[in-house]
């Protein structure tokens, strides 16, 4: 077994304490969830296929990555801090032999960004080892932790993901087999979870009854059929797998040498896909509702132009997530689309602190205005969201310094007024600019000539799906899953919200 978990935890604590991310330097976006990947493919190089699957899902988490493979009863595991391409190389992947692979790329939500919290979580059970990769966030973590500790479970990490794996092991200890133990464990979990679970017998994919986080099934080859699980269809495309269907809310799929079996473990599923997956998180080439998200995001931009027209010379998007909506805005308004900002796509998170003068120039490390394009122009800049407003303010300043005569900002989603409890790292409510300020006040703070957001109705109508099939709690405060008071108070600073 390869267990790459030997880092000195005292050094990790030191690094955490001495390299805090300045609040002004944090991305002005909700932070991505996580990416999960699983493959059952006897005869294939499953570790390498998992590597490329995670590579395609890198946008969902850039803090740690891991792959576990099953070679009969033997498990090989490698995980570490960093990007997928930093954590793995050819020699490491060669040691991850087997017919089954489970992969994960992480942005920390529950549990800090430390090596011990990297996934997949690996737990010993009566039936053998289980590896679990989790996208989402439980809201009953404290209750589940208390139950596990009463049974003397050994909690190695501070993640809710490990607790799900331990709950499965606990049910197995009580006498259940794999399938029954997982279903029993799921019933003990409240919140958002899309899971890929590896065992010596096969892999499972499961979603919570609301299907808040996505999970898709793909096929690889046809004689015999091999199955793949991934957070998004882009994780299938990269390895040549064909999209079969989504794992449904409240469904568990069990993939073994006998093929794929489906079990609807929840009797009352009610689909509530996180709409931010469609607006921002998922890659634009990923498919949801039988079309690419690029198409949906262009419709958002067209609707935005209809709702909030403006007299301007050029329109452009904040790379990369604002670009499709900006193109849609241009199509609907007739304002020419240009590239007004160039993104340095090789800038990742760094522990090297910039100088004060660099801080004052703001976002130039990641985004640089094209002065000759902007000079003397009235510009419309389109972005998908504003969370704190810190980056947006610096960006507007940079556009004026580049010679823009007017700057009009358009946002292709409604104001974010409530924090997420289901796997997205948003600030407490008092840090969300739209929770404390009106649109007019935000415009003054950003120093733009005008600011407009897309309406909630425009956002959901653009999906062409039932509006009630999405979680839009970050815009409305209407949380589909009941949140314990202790958890609620940690983020809902401005109201005694009823959930």
């Amino acid at each position: 077994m390869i267990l790459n978990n030997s880092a000195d935890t005292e050094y990790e604590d030191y690094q955490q304490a001495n390299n805090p991310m300045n609040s002004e330097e944090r991305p002005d976006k909700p932070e991505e969830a996580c990416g999960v990947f699983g493959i059952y493919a006897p005869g294939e190089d499953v570790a390498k296929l998992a590597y490329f699957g995670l590579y395609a899902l890198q946008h969902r988490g850039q803090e740690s990555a891991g792959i576990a493979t099953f070679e009969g009863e033997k498990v090989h595991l490698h995980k570490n801090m960093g990007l997928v391409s930093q954590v793995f190389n050819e020699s490491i992947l060669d040691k991850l032999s087997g017919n089954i692979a489970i992969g994960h790329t992480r942005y920390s939500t529950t549990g800090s960004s430390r090596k011990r919290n990297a996934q997949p979580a690996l737990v010993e059970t009566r039936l053998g080892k289980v590896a679990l990769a989790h996208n989402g966030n439980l809201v009953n973590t404290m209750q589940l932790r208390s139950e596990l500790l009463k049974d003397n479970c050994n909690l190695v990490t501070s993640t809710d993901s490990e607790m799900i794996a331990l709950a499965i092991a606990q049910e197995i200890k009580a006498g259940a087999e794999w399938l029954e133990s997982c279903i029993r464990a799921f019933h003990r979990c409240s919140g958002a979870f899309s899971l890929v679970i590896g065992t010596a017998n096969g892999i499972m994919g499961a979603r919570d009854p609301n299907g808040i986080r996505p999970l898709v099934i793909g096929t690889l080859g046809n004689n015999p059929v091999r199955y793949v699980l991934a957070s998004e269809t882009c994780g299938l495309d990269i390895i040549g797998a064909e999209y079969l269907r989504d794992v449904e809310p409240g469904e568990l799929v069990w993939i073994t040498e006998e093929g794929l079996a489906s079990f609807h473990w929840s009797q009352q599923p009610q689909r509530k896909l996180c709409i931010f997956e469609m607006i921002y998180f998922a890659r634009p080439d990923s498919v949801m509702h039988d079309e690419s998200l690029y198409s949906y995001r262009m419709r958002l931009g067209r609707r935005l132009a209809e709702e909030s027209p403006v007299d301007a010379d050029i329109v452009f998007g904040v790379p990369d997530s604002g670009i499709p909506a900006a193109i849609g805005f241009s199509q609907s308004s007739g304002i020419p689309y240009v590239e007004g900002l160039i993104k340095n796509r090789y800038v990742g998170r760094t522990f090297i602190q910039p100088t004060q003068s660099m801080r004052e120039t703001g976002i130039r490390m990641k985004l640089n205005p094209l002065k000759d394009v902007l000079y003397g122009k009235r510009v419309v800049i389109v972005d998908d969201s504003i969370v704190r407003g810190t980056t947006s303010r610096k960006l507007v300043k940079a556009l004026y310094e580049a010679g823009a005569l007017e700057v009009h900002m358009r946002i292709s989603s409604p104001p974010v007024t409530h924090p997420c409890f289901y796997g997205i790292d948003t600030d407490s409510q008092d840090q969300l600019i739209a929770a404390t300020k009106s649109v007019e006040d935000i415009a003054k703070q950003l120093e733009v000539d005008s600011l407009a957001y897309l309406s909630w109705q425009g956002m959901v109508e653009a999906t062409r799906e039932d509006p009630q099939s999405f979680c839009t709690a970050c815009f409305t405060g209407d949380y589909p899953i009941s949140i314990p008071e202790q958890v609620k108070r940690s983020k809902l600073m401005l109201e005694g919200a009823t959930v």
Side-chain angles (χ1 to χ4, degrees):
M1 182 189 298
I2 303 169
L3 282 174
N4 191 22
N5 287 326
S6 58
D8 188 323
T9 56
E10 289 185 8
Y11 172 75
E12 292 179 353
D13 291 341
Y14 171 84
Q15 189 180 56
Q16 289 279 315
N18 287 276
N19 292 290
M21 180 171 282
N22 186 295
S23 61
E24 289 288 308
E25 295 158 11
R26 291 182 62 193
D28 194 17
K29 302 281 183 185
E31 295 284 12
E32 290 91 338
C34 299
V36 299
F37 186 89
I39 181 167
Y40 180 90
E44 300 284 346
D45 189 344
V46 293
K48 193 162 287 187
L49 292 171
Y51 168 85
F52 284 109
L54 293 180
Y55 193 87
L57 297 170
Q58 183 72 86
H59 60 286
R60 297 188 67 87
Q62 298 89 44
E63 294 187 359
S64 66
I67 295 173
T69 61
F70 286 78
E71 187 177 18
E73 296 293 330
K74 191 176 182 181
V75 181
H76 308 282
L77 172 66
H78 182 88
K79 54 186 179 179
N80 210 334
M81 303 302 294
L83 302 176
V84 175
S85 59
Q86 296 169 323
V87 172
F88 297 99
N89 56 37
E90 290 276 1
S91 63
I92 290 171
L93 291 171
D94 286 344
K95 295 173 184 176
L96 298 174
S97 52
N99 295 323
I100 293 169
I102 305 297
H104 189 267
T105 183
R106 182 170 191 260
Y107 175 80
S108 58
T109 50
T110 294
S112 59
S113 177
R114 294 177 179 172
K115 189 174 178 180
R116 76 186 82 143
N117 288 336
Q119 294 184 40
L122 186 65
V123 171
E124 185 78 59
T125 80
R126 174 180 59 84
L127 300 176
K129 293 182 175 67
V130 58
L132 181 143
H134 172 209
N135 174 206
N137 209 47
L138 301 186
V139 297
N140 68 330
T141 306
M142 296 307 293
Q143 176 188 341
L144 186 57
R145 178 182 175 85
S146 177
E147 293 172 3
L148 294 169
L149 290 175
K150 283 181 182 177
D151 198 35
N152 296 317
C153 289
N154 182 26
L155 295 170
V156 177
T157 77
S158 59
T159 69
D160 53 354
S161 310
E162 182 195 31
M163 293 181 201
I164 301 172
L166 287 170
I168 294 170
Q170 205 175 43
E171 298 297 340
I172 290 172
K173 180 182 175 182
E177 297 301 306
W178 281 118
L179 187 62
E180 185 182 0
S181 66
C182 287
I183 291 174
R184 286 183 183 177
F186 299 161
H187 281 292
R188 296 169 60 184
C189 298
S190 178
F193 53 92
S194 284
L195 303 169
V196 175
I197 301 168
T199 75
N201 301 88
I203 64 172
M204 298 183 206
R207 290 174 80 190
D208 65 78
N210 295 112
I212 290 176
R213 299 282 153 232
L215 188 64
V216 299
I217 309 169
T219 57
L220 187 68
N222 53 22
N223 191 25
V225 172
R226 309 304 196 192
Y227 289 96
V228 184
L229 298 167
S231 291
E232 300 176 33
T233 60
C234 65
L236 308 178
D237 296 337
I238 195 171
I239 63 170
E242 293 290 326
Y243 169 72
L244 178 63
R245 66 177 179 86
D246 288 9
V247 177
E248 295 297 321
E251 182 186 18
L252 181 155
V253 294
W254 184 211
I255 300 165
T256 65
E257 61 183 4
E258 297 177 1
L260 184 148
S262 169
F263 304 89
H264 291 274
W265 62 271
S266 172
Q267 300 306 310
Q268 294 181 312
Q270 186 180 13
R271 183 181 182 274
K272 290 287 185 180
L273 176 69
C274 170
I275 202 161
F276 243 119
E277 291 281 357
M278 299 185 63
I279 295 169
Y280 170 64
F281 292 127
R283 255 175 46 169
D285 55 329
S286 285
V287 173
M288 292 184 182
H289 310 119
D290 300 320
E291 69 172 356
S292 71
L293 291 176
Y294 182 87
S295 297
Y296 169 67
R297 292 168 187 174
M298 284 182 64
R299 284 201 299 277
L300 293 178
R302 289 196 287 267
R303 180 67 179 255
L304 182 59
E306 293 167 6
E307 291 184 0
S308 303
V310 61
D311 189 14
D313 302 310
I314 56 175
V315 59
F316 54 92
V318 177
D320 290 308
S321 57
I323 290 176
I327 293 172
F329 193 100
S330 171
Q331 291 174 344
S332 181
S333 66
I335 300 171
Y337 173 81
V338 301
E339 285 198 38
L341 294 165
I342 297 300
K343 181 179 181 180
N344 181 358
R345 290 175 172 82
Y346 300 95
V347 173
R349 181 165 295 183
T350 174
F351 284 118
I352 306 302
Q353 298 299 307
T355 64
Q356 182 59 36
S357 61
M358 288 176 67
R359 282 198 186 96
E360 289 169 0
T361 63
I363 54 169
R364 301 294 175 84
M365 276 182 67
K366 293 187 178 181
L367 295 171
N368 204 29
L370 288 168
K371 294 182 180 180
D372 57 334
V373 174
L374 301 171
Y375 188 81
K377 298 292 196 304
R378 299 168 300 166
V379 308
V380 181
I381 180 167
V382 179
D383 205 355
D384 56 83
S385 60
I386 300 175
V387 178
R388 289 172 297 277
T390 51
T391 301
S392 299
R393 185 173 65 251
K394 292 177 182 178
L395 179 55
V396 170
K397 180 182 178 183
L399 296 179
Y400 281 123
E401 289 176 348
L405 289 181
E406 298 176 7
V407 177
H408 303 272
M409 184 167 278
R410 296 293 182 267
I411 306 300
S412 60
S413 64
V416 177
T417 55
H418 289 72
C420 178
F421 296 92
Y422 307 135
I424 305 304
D425 184 23
T426 51
D427 289 287
S428 58
Q429 195 176 24
D430 60 339
Q431 295 298 310
L432 302 176
I433 191 170
T436 59
K437 290 179 169 61
S438 67
V439 175
E440 293 76 16
D441 288 338
I442 297 171
K444 290 178 183 177
Q445 180 166 322
L446 301 185
E447 298 182 346
V448 291
D449 290 279
S450 72
L451 170 68
Y453 292 82
L454 184 65
S455 67
W456 181 90
Q457 185 176 15
M459 174 186 67
V460 294
E461 286 183 356
T463 67
R464 297 175 177 171
E465 299 287 326
D466 179 3
Q468 298 306 312
S469 66
F470 297 98
C471 175
T472 61
C474 52
F475 306 118
T476 64
D478 182 14
Y479 294 96
I481 302 171
S482 180
I483 301 167
E485 282 296 327
Q486 182 181 8
V487 178
K488 197 191 308 181
R489 286 195 301 271
S490 69
K491 284 188 174 182
L492 288 171
M493 302 293 197
L494 304 180
E495 57 189 296
T498 56
V499 183

